[in-house]
Amino acid sequence: MPETFTPILCPVKGNPDISISFSDGSRSEFNVFFGLALLEKVSAQKDRPEFKMLLGRLHNMKLSGRELAKRFEVSRSTIARWGRALKSGDMKKMEVAFSGQGAKRKLDDRMIAFIKDRYRALHRSERNYNQLIRAEVRKYHGVSISSEAARKIFSEVRKETNASSDGSAPGFQDQPDPLSTLEQPNPCESLAHSPANGEVLEGSRNLSDHPVGERAWFREIPEDTPVYNHHAGLALLHPWIEQVVSQTRTALDRQTICQILLGALNHEQAKELNFSSLKDLIGPALQSLHYQRSRMDLLATPENTFRLQAHNTRLFQTEENDWFYFDPHSPKYTGALPLLKGWCGSTHQVEKITNMDFVHDAQGNPCYVEHADNYYEMRHRFFTCAANFHRTQDDPNRSLCWVIDRGIYSLETLRRIRESGDEIITWEKNYKRNGFNANAPVGTTTFSIPRNNAQDLRLYRFEYQETAWERDATFRKIIVKATNPNHKTIEVSILCSDQNISVEKIIFALFRRWVQENDFGYMDRHVGINEMTSRAHQNYNELAGELADRPVASRDYKAKKKEKTNLEGKLKTNLLKRKKTVRAHTEKKRAENTEIEAVKKSIAQLKSRTSSKKNDPALKTAQAKQARLEKKRDKNKANRAKAAKKLRTNIQEQNRELDKIDQALDTLYRTESRLGILTGQNHVRLDYRRKAYMDALRIISRNIFYKLAREFRPEYNNHRDDHVIVRHLTRCAGLIRKRGETIEITLIPSMEFSPQKREIIVRFLSETSRKIPELHPRSIPEIKIGLYDKKTDGLKFPI
């Protein structure tokens, strides 16, 4: 049977005698004819190079670009590019033109195979394998690629390995992941026990026992060889860090605490640290910020956060405290999410805020914190926070005395605190400063607060009288006249439900509340308590089962009430304006009539003169003035009537509008669901799970640092910069040498110390070295910490 062809391109006048057809039986090939002679057979697939070359040659033969684009369904610009590449004769240009759209591929198959092989060889043994492999590609192939491009190739390798069912890559599959030695959830356990009271907490994810024993620190230090370490000063805080980690048994907790103490207040700032030095100090450390965040997300359960808070409480002897400070810290939220608004102390106005309800001990140490939005007010949140703080105590049933500066005042709330078994000390609200009885007995007390050093004391004097509170006689009311060192006196009233605590302690507790306020600023600057750890959030319709709904004034009712209030204000203004206008119009009318009567009297006198001429100029002037004044009076009268009518009309309209609003208010629901309002307005609440866990570590870090700083304070006796000195010592570099069972650490500070300061610091380091084994929860090698002296050590720095 003869073969038939379907024509695709036929010769026309002015074009070469070229025609192209493809067979009816197979439309996958073109037959190219010159006249009746078959020149070639070309694939009809558009991605084949012979197809592209054919169209390029046809373009170079001056065939119509429009016709070629129409027949072969390829853009004219692409055909022209193919033709130019063929005409140039340059192999590189042809390679670029025929390789398809888009930029030229950086990596060919050979380079990709090289990257995959190097990934299989390095990813188990090198933490920074991505960087190393990209450096090798740049060195051996002259191509620079991004970490993301490399990551995609690595992902392909993992998919190929997972899809392999015959174990074709045992060397890749069977090697253990070094990260698996760090903490991971134990799927076999579903319950966790609270260390505070042994209560079983359901739904928790326990942590595996990563070895954080006595050999975790300094285990990578070689014998009798000095090793330069960028974070050697961290060893000063060694025992207190281990007091916490020995309880949590979580290596990431230790690493995060160390990072915060070194100034990395969040995960992103950790990239500024030297992880090789950190590894020499504390053992295994995660360098990848992604893995740190993912591990933190795994650990950040409410149960684990509570455990950290309980361990933090045990850093101090809280059972010896007579009182605790409670105060919410409400930093401004500057993001775009529609959070609930509340009072922001830093800006002194209503803002979008996040609430952190803190508990501090009498010395100003943060013991506990809970995170919340502004759905519940402080008086409601206090009882939840107090109940949870009780659970962190060795004796959860112990009665605690709460010192609260503001926001808690109401008779119902004060009575509820006392009924719960706790006590309360707070200010009396709206005290008029008139309760001090000059004829009654007066008690006096003083206390001194050191300022710049232990000898620089500021004396505060207090006069007080104690009575029963008139609203509830079971509460003590203490009227205090307080005089500061500048002899400024104020009078305040203090309420206390505790009948046993002395008046001096009550006064001292409330007037020393600034130790908690100051700590908020300190934690913000030095441990990043205001840092956002996660931007995850939840809509309130998802939280309906967790939050107690309550009726609030409905939006429509509030809007109508506001409209009524505004309209009533305008009506009051108009009524007052009408009253003033009537008085003003009466006075103006009287003045105008008086002036006209005076002119009339003048005219009468001029007419009465016998000597007056008929055309007396003075008489004409007076008469003209009378006419002008009467005309002006009539015009003003008309204007006043018009203004009065307009004002009267406005008042009548406003009265009618008020009647309509009152009728509308009678038909509206006065209350509606608060959750319904928040859902309708698309409000959200931040997911505080990860921030709560990270903040617990931040508070622990703050308290660990204070443990050391309080040891240094009496030695240095300069309260202005003792924290700066200690912070610098704990963050400075140094040399670490292991001599048998002794670890010698020589700190190399970048600060210059005077001989007197240097002597104090050397003595302090020596004393701290002696105490470290005593404070450490386990037996450890002897540690000797000294200060570098270029005169005696014989080394030159910087290294």
Side-chain angles (χ1 to χ4, degrees):
M1 180 178 178
E3 188 176 17
T4 59
F5 299 96
T6 302
I8 297 299
L9 185 68
C10 298
V12 296
K13 185 177 180 180
N15 286 343
D17 195 14
I18 294 290
S19 60
I20 300 176
S21 307
F22 54 76
S23 174
D24 290 338
S26 175
R27 303 177 70 89
S28 62
E29 261 187 351
F30 288 128
N31 298 294
V32 184
F33 291 91
F34 181 74
L36 296 177
L38 178 63
L39 287 180
E40 60 179 337
K41 289 181 178 286
V42 177
S43 173
Q45 298 181 17
K46 296 179 182 180
D47 58 344
R48 296 294 294 270
E50 59 265 30
F51 172 85
K52 299 176 182 179
M53 289 182 180
L54 171 63
L55 266 62
R57 290 195 299 270
L58 295 175
H59 174 271
N60 293 339
M61 292 178 189
K62 305 300 182 182
L63 266 69
S64 170
R66 180 178 299 173
E67 189 69 18
L68 291 175
K70 178 181 177 181
R71 298 293 182 181
F72 295 96
E73 298 180 353
V74 180
S75 69
R76 294 175 63 183
S77 60
T78 301
I79 297 174
R81 186 173 74 249
W82 293 340
R84 288 193 300 270
L86 285 174
K87 189 181 291 186
S88 69
D90 190 333
M91 294 301 297
K92 290 185 178 180
K93 289 183 178 180
M94 285 190 282
E95 181 183 359
V96 172
F98 296 140
S99 61
Q101 294 182 345
K104 180 184 176 181
R105 291 179 57 193
K106 280 188 175 182
L107 301 177
D108 55 23
D109 295 340
R110 181 172 54 87
M111 295 181 192
I112 294 175
F114 172 81
I115 293 172
K116 289 182 177 180
D117 288 341
R118 294 302 294 157
Y119 172 73
R120 295 187 181 98
L122 296 178
H123 92 283
R124 295 298 184 187
S125 58
E126 298 292 340
R127 183 178 288 113
N128 58 338
Y129 61 83
N130 189 309
Q131 181 180 355
L132 293 175
I133 293 173
R134 288 189 288 116
E136 291 180 357
V137 172
R138 184 168 56 251
K139 177 179 179 180
Y140 297 116
H141 297 278
V143 176
S144 297
I145 61 173
S146 67
S147 61
E148 179 63 17
R151 188 193 64 78
K152 290 180 179 179
I153 297 175
F154 302 156
S155 179
E156 291 177 8
V157 178
R158 288 192 291 270
K159 289 180 181 178
E160 292 171 0
T161 305
N162 293 335
S164 176
S165 59
D166 57 357
S168 57
F172 174 72
Q173 292 177 329
D174 297 341
Q175 295 180 11
D177 184 354
L179 292 176
S180 64
T181 60
L182 294 177
E183 63 289 341
Q184 294 185 17
N186 188 344
C188 298
E189 299 181 4
S190 59
L191 298 178
H193 296 275
S194 167
N197 54 12
E199 178 183 356
V200 176
L201 303 173
E202 297 184 2
S204 65
R205 290 180 286 182
N206 283 350
L207 313 178
S208 65
D209 296 344
H210 170 66
V212 292
E214 64 272 11
R215 305 305 296 178
W217 288 72
F218 314 115
R219 65 181 184 182
E220 302 294 336
I221 303 299
E223 186 73 25
D224 204 25
T225 301
V227 176
Y228 184 81
N229 191 288
H230 292 272
H231 308 307
L234 196 63
L236 288 167
L237 302 166
H238 176 198
W240 294 291
I241 295 174
E242 290 306 304
Q243 281 183 24
V244 176
V245 177
S246 64
Q247 299 293 326
T248 66
R249 301 183 300 178
T250 308
L252 184 60
D253 288 349
R254 175 201 281 135
Q255 179 181 339
T256 306
I257 291 171
C258 291
Q259 289 177 177
I260 295 170
L261 290 168
L262 292 172
L265 308 185
N266 52 46
H267 293 304
E268 286 71 22
Q269 294 177 3
K271 60 190 176 185
E272 301 176 9
L273 304 180
N274 187 292
F275 282 88
S276 297
S277 294
L278 199 60
K279 180 181 177 181
D280 289 343
L281 285 173
I282 67 173
L286 282 173
Q287 183 173 355
S288 168
L289 303 184
H290 169 73
Y291 276 111
Q292 287 189 40
R293 282 189 288 264
S294 61
R295 299 293 187 191
M296 183 72 68
D297 181 51
L298 190 66
L299 295 173
T301 64
E303 294 79 15
N304 292 335
T305 302
F306 178 80
R307 288 192 191 92
L308 285 178
Q309 303 260 34
H311 299 323
N312 171 65
T313 302
R314 290 179 177 85
L315 283 173
F316 302 96
Q317 299 298 321
T318 55
E319 65 275 4
E320 298 177 1
N321 286 323
D322 292 323
W323 68 81
F324 291 91
Y325 293 103
F326 173 84
D327 196 14
H329 178 51
S330 304
K332 179 181 177 181
Y333 171 76
T334 58
L337 294 175
L339 302 188
L340 294 182
K341 293 183 178 181
W343 181 257
C344 180
S346 59
T347 62
H348 299 285
Q349 60 185 2
V350 175
E351 304 274 7
K352 291 190 293 186
I353 60 171
T354 58
N355 285 316
M356 290 181 277
D357 297 328
F358 272 93
V359 177
H360 285 69
D361 66 10
Q363 290 73 41
N365 301 307
C367 302
Y368 187 80
V369 62
E370 282 200 356
H371 298 73
D373 63 352
N374 215 42
Y375 184 83
Y376 295 116
E377 65 174 359
M378 180 186 131
R379 282 175 289 195
H380 184 280
R381 301 196 309 268
F382 165 77
F383 292 100
T384 302
C385 182
N388 290 332
F389 181 68
H390 268 281
R391 294 172 56 211
T392 67
Q393 301 296 296
D394 292 332
D395 180 8
N397 297 318
R398 179 167 73 106
S399 177
L400 303 179
C401 184
W402 296 100
V403 180
I404 305 178
D405 183 22
R406 59 188 182 274
I408 203 73
Y409 184 88
S410 79
L411 183 58
E412 178 186 357
T413 305
L414 298 180
R415 286 173 173 171
R416 184 180 170 190
I417 293 174
R418 187 185 56 194
E419 291 167 0
S420 69
D422 288 345
E423 307 293 347
I424 175 70
I425 300 174
T426 189
W427 305 112
E428 182 184 11
K429 192 175 181 180
N430 297 326
Y431 175 65
K432 304 302 182 182
R433 302 179 184 178
N434 56 359
F436 209 85
N437 188 354
N439 300 321
V442 177
T444 60
T445 185
T446 61
F447 61 79
S448 301
I449 302 296
R451 188 167 54 172
N452 291 333
N453 53 62
Q455 290 74 41
D456 183 11
L457 299 176
R458 293 173 63 85
L459 183 65
Y460 295 82
R461 303 179 183 275
F462 302 90
E463 296 178 320
Y464 61 87
Q465 292 177 337
E466 180 179 350
T467 62
W469 189 26
E470 54 272 12
R471 296 186 64 189
D472 188 334
T474 60
F475 280 83
R476 300 162 67 184
K477 179 176 178 177
I478 303 165
I479 309 298
V480 181
K481 283 188 175 181
T483 305
N484 67 8
N486 298 325
H487 306 290
K488 181 180 178 180
T489 302
I490 61 172
E491 184 178 328
V492 294
S493 175
I494 301 174
L495 301 178
C496 179
S497 64
D498 192 342
Q499 302 297 326
N500 299 319
I501 189 170
S502 67
V503 176
E504 289 79 7
K505 282 188 176 182
I506 295 172
I507 295 174
F508 184 80
L510 258 183
F511 280 89
R512 280 268 295 176
R513 70 191 185 282
W514 51 264
V515 297
Q516 183 188 37
E517 299 289 345
N518 289 354
D519 190 59
F520 291 149
Y522 182 90
M523 287 192 291
D524 182 21
R525 288 191 299 273
H526 298 300
V527 299
I529 201 67
N530 288 351
E531 297 277 346
M532 294 297 294
T533 305
S534 169
R535 290 170 177 81
H537 59 274
Q538 298 170 292
N539 294 320
Y540 277 95
N541 57 355
E542 302 173 6
L543 301 168
E546 302 177 20
L547 302 176
D549 197 6
R550 69 177 189 271
V552 294
S554 70
R555 287 165 287 178
D556 294 339
Y557 189 83
K558 287 171 65 177
K560 277 294 178 185
K561 286 286 287 184
K562 185 176 181 181
E563 184 181 352
K564 180 180 178 180
T565 301
N566 293 337
L567 191 56
E568 286 176 341
K570 293 179 181 179
L571 180 58
K572 290 177 183 177
T573 301
N574 284 339
L575 291 172
L576 181 60
K577 183 178 179 181
R578 184 176 67 176
K579 183 178 180 180
K580 292 181 177 179
T581 301
V582 170
R583 187 185 301 119
H585 286 181
T586 302
E587 293 176 355
K588 287 180 180 180
K589 184 178 179 180
R590 185 183 302 113
E592 289 172 350
N593 290 334
T594 301
E595 189 176 7
I596 291 173
E597 288 298 326
V599 174
K600 286 181 178 181
K601 185 177 180 181
S602 176
I603 292 172
Q605 290 176 355
L606 289 173
K607 287 181 178 181
S608 66
R609 293 178 184 175
T610 57
S611 61
S612 298
K613 299 178 180 179
K614 187 176 182 179
N615 295 325
D616 187 354
L619 180 60
K620 289 182 177 181
T621 301
Q623 290 173 340
K625 183 176 181 181
Q626 178 185 352
R628 288 196 308 271
L629 291 175
E630 289 176 346
K631 184 179 179 180
K632 182 178 179 181
R633 179 193 62 187
D634 295 340
K635 183 179 179 180
N636 288 342
K637 181 179 180 181
N639 290 338
R640 287 194 291 267
K642 184 178 179 180
K645 181 180 179 181
K646 182 179 179 181
L647 187 58
R648 184 169 59 253
T649 303
N650 287 341
I651 291 173
Q652 291 172 352
E653 290 179 355
Q654 288 169 349
N655 279 317
R656 286 194 294 269
E657 287 295 326
L658 280 175
D659 292 338
K660 291 180 180 178
I661 291 176
D662 287 334
Q663 293 175 6
L665 287 173
D666 291 338
T667 62
L668 292 175
Y669 288 105
R670 298 199 172 196
T671 60
E672 63 178 318
S673 164
R674 191 183 186 206
L675 277 176
I677 294 176
L678 299 181
T679 302
Q681 294 177 344
N682 295 321
H683 281 288
V684 299
R685 184 181 74 177
L686 292 175
D687 183 357
Y688 293 106
R689 183 172 54 86
R690 277 167 283 187
K691 177 171 175 55
Y693 192 86
M694 189 69 174
D695 283 353
L697 295 174
R698 288 178 173 128
I699 293 172
I700 289 172
S701 303
R702 179 266 181 211
N703 289 335
I704 287 173
F705 176 82
Y706 261 71
K707 283 284 190 178
L708 184 66
R710 287 202 171 106
E711 297 281 338
F712 182 68
R713 171 159 286 193
E715 290 276 347
Y716 190 58
N717 197 24
N718 186 336
H719 301 172
R720 290 171 295 184
D721 64 348
D722 52 359
H723 276 233
V724 178
I725 300 294
V726 176
R727 189 173 299 107
H728 183 77
L729 291 174
T730 57
R731 295 180 182 179
C732 69
L735 290 175
I736 303 178
R737 183 196 299 266
K738 182 186 292 186
R739 295 181 185 271
E741 292 300 317
T742 301
I743 303 295
E744 296 179 355
I745 302 174
T746 304
L747 301 183
I748 310 170
S750 59
M751 293 179 66
E752 291 283 351
F753 299 123
S754 65
Q756 182 181 5
K757 285 184 180 180
R758 185 179 183 85
E759 181 180 352
I760 294 173
I761 293 171
V762 169
R763 186 166 61 248
F764 167 70
L765 294 178
S766 176
E767 184 66 18
T768 303
S769 301
R770 185 186 63 80
K771 291 180 180 179
I772 284 178
E774 302 173 3
L775 296 169
H776 200 279
R778 301 183 181 91
S779 61
I780 60 170
E782 181 183 4
I783 296 177
K784 293 183 179 180
I785 304 176
L787 201 62
Y788 166 70
D789 188 349
K790 62 182 178 181
K791 295 180 181 179
T792 59
D793 290 354
L795 299 173
K796 294 183 179 181
F797 293 94
I799 293 180

